[in-house]
Structures are given as C-alpha cells and as structure tokens.
Amino acid sequence: MSDDPTADDTDTPPMRREVRDSATPSGGGPLEDGAFPAFDPAVVPPRPPAPAVSAPAAPSSSIPSSLDTADHNAIREQWRAARDELGTHVSNARGQLDQANERIKERTGRDLILAILIGLAFGAALLASLLFIKVLFVPFALAAALLGVYELSLALRGSGRRIDVAPQFAAATMIVLSAFFLDLWLVWIVLFLAVAFVIVWRLVGQMIAADGRTYGDVLGDVVIGGFVQIYVPFLAAIALILLKQEDGQWSVLSFIAIAVAADTGAYAAGLAFGRHPMAPKISPKKTWEGFAGAVVASVAAGVLLALFLLHLPWWIGVIFGAAILLSATLGDLGESMLKRDLGIKDMSSWLPGHGGLLDRLDSILPSTIPALCLYFLFSSWTVL
C-alpha cells in the first residue's frame, strides 16, 4: 500500500459518489428500464398553495393589564377603608371603656380592669394549689401571711408605732407552719409563744433604746405587736387547720368563693343602685344596696357549693353563706376602721386596682373562723 494519495488502490472500495456517477450516463439523462419507466414531469401534480400566513395580531394585553390594575387598586382601597373603619370602632370602644373605667374609679376608688386581671391571676393560683395537691396551699398561705404582716407593720410604723418586722416574720412563720404540721392543741401553744416572743423582743428593744418613750406608748406598741400576730398569721393558720381535715380543701375553696362572691355582689349592686350609705363614718362608699347584693350573691353561692361541691343539704348552704357574709362584712368594716385610724386609704399600693394584699384579705381572714366551726358542726351531714 503506497502513501501516495493519488496512487490506484485496487483494494479500496468505491465511494458512493463514484458509484452514482458511473451509473449515470454521460448525457445526464435518467435511467430507463422495464421496472423504472422514464420520468415524466407533467404527470406530477402541482404543489398545493401554502396557507396564507396572517400577520401577527397586535398585542391586546394592555387593556386587561389596565383592568387588572384598576381592580387591584379598588380592592386595595376597599381593604384600607375597612381597616380604617375597624380601627375607628376599636378606638371608640377603647375610649368608651376608658371613660367608663374612670367613672367607676372616681366613684369606687378602684381600677376595674386591673382589679379583674389581678383577681383572675390570684384565683388561678389558688385553684391550682387546692385542686391538685393541697399541701401546695401551705406556701401560698405562708407567703400571703408574711406579706400581710409586712403591710400591716409598715402601716403601723407609719403612724408612729414601733413594730419590729424581723421577729414578726419569725413568729408568723411558726404559727402558720404549725397549723398544718402539728396537732391542734400545739397550735395554741405556738400562738402563745409567738405573741410572747414579739412582746419580749419589743420590751428588750425599748430598754436598749432608752429614748424616754412614755409608758402608754410602750404598752400600745406591745399590744399592737401581739395583735398583728393574731390578726394575720393566726387567722391564716385556721385556714390551714381546715385544709388538713378530710376533704378540707373543698371547704377552704368554698368559704373563699363565698367571701369573693359577697364582695363582688356588694360591688356590683352598690355601683348600680347604691344610694344609702351603710356606715358613712367608717366606710362612706359602702351602701345598703350593696349589702343587699352581697346577701343575694353569698347565699346563692353557699347553696350551690353545698349541693354540688360539699354534698350537703341546701339549707346548710344558706347557713354557710350567711355566716361567711357576716364575717366578711365585719372584717371589711374592721379593716376600714383601722385604715381610718391610721389615716391611710390602702394598706399598700402593690396590687393595682386593689391596693394592698390586706385590702383583699380583709373579708377572707375573719371568715376562716365560721368556716372551721361549720365544718366540725355539719361534717356528719354529708350526703351519701
């Protein structure tokens, strides 16, 4: 095989073009034989005309586009108008609520919205401690007692009395914890020791001070120091004595609910119908109409709780509601008298809408006594 590209190579197969050229005569005419007759161009039918291609239509998207834009703008304007109208209604409602709240606050001295929110928060904590594990109510009662002692001690010190806060805290803790973890007769001993402890502490402190304080002032300090222990920690301890009884958590929940119902009924009825003051020299905002509302609310709550929670006859619920109503009213008037003597409106301002903690416990603490007495009196009347 030669490298010369022009050399003849007998082994090289003929190419397709060569075969076609060799098969075509030199004249360039078509092949003819019996199988393939001569080609006649006249026999070929003419080519059909091509379909006319119309010119592309002008784009018409401009009209729908403008319509869509107009629709979107209209919808947007309607949405803005609806939003502005809703905002106007909300602003008007808020303004009316604020005005009503200011009128209520001016008449009763209480911020209604904050009072409701704080009351719901305390109610939820109270229910959680009583419904699940009743021992959880012990730290709740201890914290309330210590805070009440602190409020009362500060109020008394502001009036010129000498109250020692640290020994008051120690004595209050002993009384409250003994009520749940010790026998009943030991609670009385702890109470006596606690009162003696704060009295001796005050006498020793006065002896060390030697500031020439008169005998009457020192005696008043001693008596009032003992009163603090009886008024707040001991009454809270009675609630814990009731709590540790069989199913005592339901009795605790019931008397607190009745006291709250009495307070709420008095507030609502006094706000709506109050015209005649009940004790103007002690609490000028309490009216006989409010007291009537408290009677209805407390008796109704007592009957419902007796039937569905305590499983007692309905008439015991009437007695229960009336007893708690009486103790709650006396406790409220008693604290109002104490605040008037001290020259203060509220025990503190820690609870917006309520004042101080003692301002909310003034009707609950005295109610522990009739609640415990009625438990022991009617415990055998439980409906089976």
Side-chain angles (χ1 to χ4, degrees):
M1 185 174 188
S2 174
D3 293 335
D4 185 3
T6 60
D8 292 334
D9 191 353
T10 59
D11 296 333
T12 302
M15 298 181 67
R16 182 179 301 175
R17 178 180 298 176
E18 296 174 353
V19 173
R20 187 177 63 247
D21 293 340
S22 62
T24 303
S26 58
L31 295 176
E32 298 185 28
D33 56 15
F36 297 97
F39 175 73
D40 187 1
V43 185
V44 178
R47 177 181 297 179
V53 179
S54 60
S60 60
S61 60
S62 58
I63 298 176
S65 175
S66 61
L67 291 178
D68 292 343
T69 304
D71 292 341
H72 287 311
N73 291 335
I75 294 174
R76 188 177 302 171
E77 292 299 327
Q78 292 177 359
W79 170 254
R80 288 178 180 175
R83 184 185 60 186
D84 294 340
E85 184 178 1
L86 179 61
T88 303
H89 288 310
V90 171
S91 299
N92 292 335
R94 182 179 300 175
Q96 293 176 1
L97 182 61
D98 291 339
Q99 292 177 3
N101 191 33
E102 288 298 327
R103 289 195 297 268
I104 294 174
K105 186 177 180 180
E106 182 179 356
R107 184 172 179 180
T108 63
R110 182 185 301 183
D111 192 331
L112 182 61
I113 297 177
L114 287 176
I116 292 175
L117 294 178
I118 293 176
L120 290 176
F122 273 95
L126 178 66
L127 286 175
S129 62
L130 289 175
L131 294 180
F132 298 103
I133 304 175
K134 65 181 182 180
V135 72
L136 295 177
F137 185 74
V138 176
F140 187 85
L142 179 60
L146 293 179
L147 184 55
V149 167
Y150 185 68
E151 285 184 352
L152 185 56
S153 299
L154 289 185
L156 292 170
R157 292 175 70 173
S159 65
R161 293 298 177 183
R162 295 189 178 179
I163 306 296
D164 304 300
V165 178
Q168 291 284 347
F169 279 175
T173 303
M174 289 190 300
I175 293 175
V176 173
L177 294 181
S178 66
F180 189 81
F181 296 104
L182 299 180
D183 293 333
L184 181 58
W185 66 275
L186 289 175
V187 178
W188 294 101
I189 296 177
V190 173
L191 175 63
F192 174 79
L193 294 176
V195 173
F197 174 67
V198 297
I199 289 176
V200 171
W201 186 287
R202 177 83 293 273
L203 292 175
V204 172
Q206 182 60 43
M207 291 171 56
I208 295 175
D211 54 358
R213 193 170 177 82
T214 63
Y215 174 79
D217 291 337
V218 175
L219 181 61
D221 296 339
V222 168
V223 173
I224 293 176
F227 166 76
V228 172
Q229 291 298 309
I230 296 174
Y231 177 55
V232 183
F234 179 65
L235 293 180
I238 294 179
L240 293 183
I241 294 174
L242 177 60
L243 177 70
K244 71 178 182 180
Q245 306 302 319
E246 184 179 1
D247 293 331
Q249 67 271 24
W250 309 125
S251 296
V252 173
L253 180 60
S254 297
F255 91 80
I256 293 177
I258 294 175
V260 172
D263 190 21
T264 305
Y267 180 77
L271 184 64
F273 310 107
R275 295 295 183 272
H276 303 86
M278 183 178 181
K281 294 184 178 180
I282 299 176
S283 182
K285 294 181 180 179
K286 291 179 174 59
T287 61
W288 285 107
E289 291 82 1
F291 180 73
V295 171
V296 174
S298 60
V299 172
V303 172
L304 293 176
L305 291 169
L307 292 176
F308 299 106
L309 184 62
L310 302 177
H311 305 291
L312 295 172
W314 66 269
W315 58 270
I316 294 181
V318 174
I319 298 175
F320 194 19
I324 299 302
L325 169 66
L326 180 62
S327 62
T329 304
L330 292 177
D332 195 0
L333 292 175
E335 203 227 6
S336 297
M337 185 183 299
L338 177 61
K339 291 188 293 186
R340 182 171 289 272
D341 290 339
L342 296 177
I344 57 177
K345 181 180 181 295
D346 295 318
M347 282 295 178
S348 69
S349 58
W350 293 356
L351 300 177
H354 293 272
L357 181 63
L358 278 181
D359 296 315
R360 297 299 95 213
L361 297 180
D362 55 357
S363 59
I364 294 177
L365 287 175
S367 300
T368 58
I369 298 175
L372 182 62
C373 295
L374 291 175
Y375 174 83
F376 288 120
L377 182 61
F378 296 121
S379 58
S380 60
W381 287 82
T382 303
V383 178
L384 299 177

